Amino acid sequence: MMNMLQACAPVAKSRPHDSMLVATMGAMFTFDMIEGPQGNAKGIPTLGGTAGLLIGFAAAKLVKAVSADDSQADKVRSRISSVPLMGGAACLGLGLALAQPDRAVVVVDGDASLMLELSGLATVARAKPRKFLHAVIHNGTQFTGLGNLTAPAAGFDFAGAARVAGYVHAERIDDAQVWEQRLPALLAMEGPVFVELGVDPVPARTKPGFVQDEMPDRQFERMGQEAVRLQSWLRGETV
């Protein structure tokens, strides 16, 4: 099994510069942590286990702290978060793929999220977007890294479901090195392509006495803000 950083960093490093990325909540927070001004997770170590995850996040904070340019506008403008649209990542990505058929679209979904809208697999398969890679983080939890609620996905074969739905190719990968090596080939395949990633949950932060801070407004506004930013990027507008 790989950790969350090992699941997301290869995407940041390897996806084409003109591609679009859709991420659900767990992946969204990870991309927030690791994406530098160029959006490629440069300089972020991807070691295994919980210790490797914490080391990687600490390194990401350091990279951002010493970066000469930490303005949000200069970071990746081609990413949009499917939050709070839980369950909608695949079809959000499909809409982008249909509107921009010559650009690759990468969707980094969550198991709890995808379980809410499994029918999205059939919708994507029927539309046959040819540059579409759909990855699901299968860690068995919802709100990973916070309360780690058990997701109703234990033992569920997401790759099998995608295959039956009609995806051109579907597979499961549990090893971080295999995922990193396999990703370029998956991106090059005629889509839609699906990969189920076996990922360890981020350690929970809740414990007796824990008090959750109120969610900032940006948590619920960012999807719209990112849509505007993405539209500007697609038009070739400079910031």
Side-chain angles (χ1 to χ4, degrees):
M1 300 282 277
M2 66 190 83
N3 62 39
M4 196 68 168
L5 183 59
Q6 291 174 311
C8 292
V11 175
K13 293 175 181 178
S14 298
R15 72 180 178 101
H17 71 279
D18 62 344
S19 66
M20 294 177 284
L21 173 63
V22 179
T24 52
M25 186 177 288
M28 174 189 79
F29 287 136
T30 303
F31 285 120
D32 283 348
M33 288 286 294
I34 67 176
E35 285 188 336
Q38 302 305 317
N40 59 8
K42 184 178 180 181
I44 309 301
T46 52
L47 305 174
T50 300
L53 179 72
L54 298 178
I55 290 170
F57 283 164
K61 289 182 180 180
L62 180 60
V63 168
K64 287 192 174 185
V66 301
S67 172
D69 183 1
D70 194 38
S71 63
Q72 182 65 30
D74 289 333
K75 294 181 182 176
V76 170
R77 299 161 65 200
S78 58
R79 171 162 67 95
I80 185 167
S81 307
S82 183
V83 177
L85 184 61
M86 189 170 182
C91 289
L92 175 58
L94 175 60
L96 294 173
L98 295 178
Q100 298 284 328
D102 293 328
R103 294 182 187 270
V105 173
V106 180
V107 176
V108 183
D109 213 337
D111 52 0
S113 180
L114 182 55
M115 286 295 285
L116 289 178
E117 291 289 350
L118 274 175
S119 59
L121 294 176
T123 303
V124 170
R126 183 176 182 181
K128 296 182 172 63
R130 59 188 179 85
K131 291 189 173 184
F132 191 92
L133 174 60
H134 186 180
V136 64
I137 304 291
H138 192 167
N139 59 18
T141 60
Q142 185 175 350
F143 301 111
T144 190
L146 183 61
N148 288 22
L149 302 179
T150 300
F156 188 84
D157 183 3
F158 286 99
R163 194 176 299 113
V164 171
Y167 275 64
V168 173
H169 176 83
E171 65 181 86
R172 176 176 171 119
I173 299 175
D174 294 311
D175 182 85
Q177 186 175 3
V178 172
W179 166 231
E180 186 166 12
Q181 293 173 346
R182 191 91 179 91
L183 180 55
L186 292 168
L187 286 167
M189 286 182 183
E190 188 86 3
V193 173
F194 187 93
V195 58
E196 177 181 359
L197 300 176
V199 179
D200 291 320
V202 177
R205 290 188 287 124
T206 55
K207 57 185 179 180
F210 175 86
V211 177
Q212 171 62 42
D213 294 334
E214 183 176 352
M215 291 290 185
D217 289 342
R218 182 174 180 272
Q219 183 79 356
F220 304 98
E221 297 171 351
R222 64 178 289 167
M223 185 178 177
Q225 294 167 351
E226 289 172 355
V228 171
R229 186 181 71 183
L230 177 60
Q231 184 180 51
S232 173
W233 177 79
L234 288 169
R235 288 173 174 169
E237 297 171 355
T238 57
V239 178

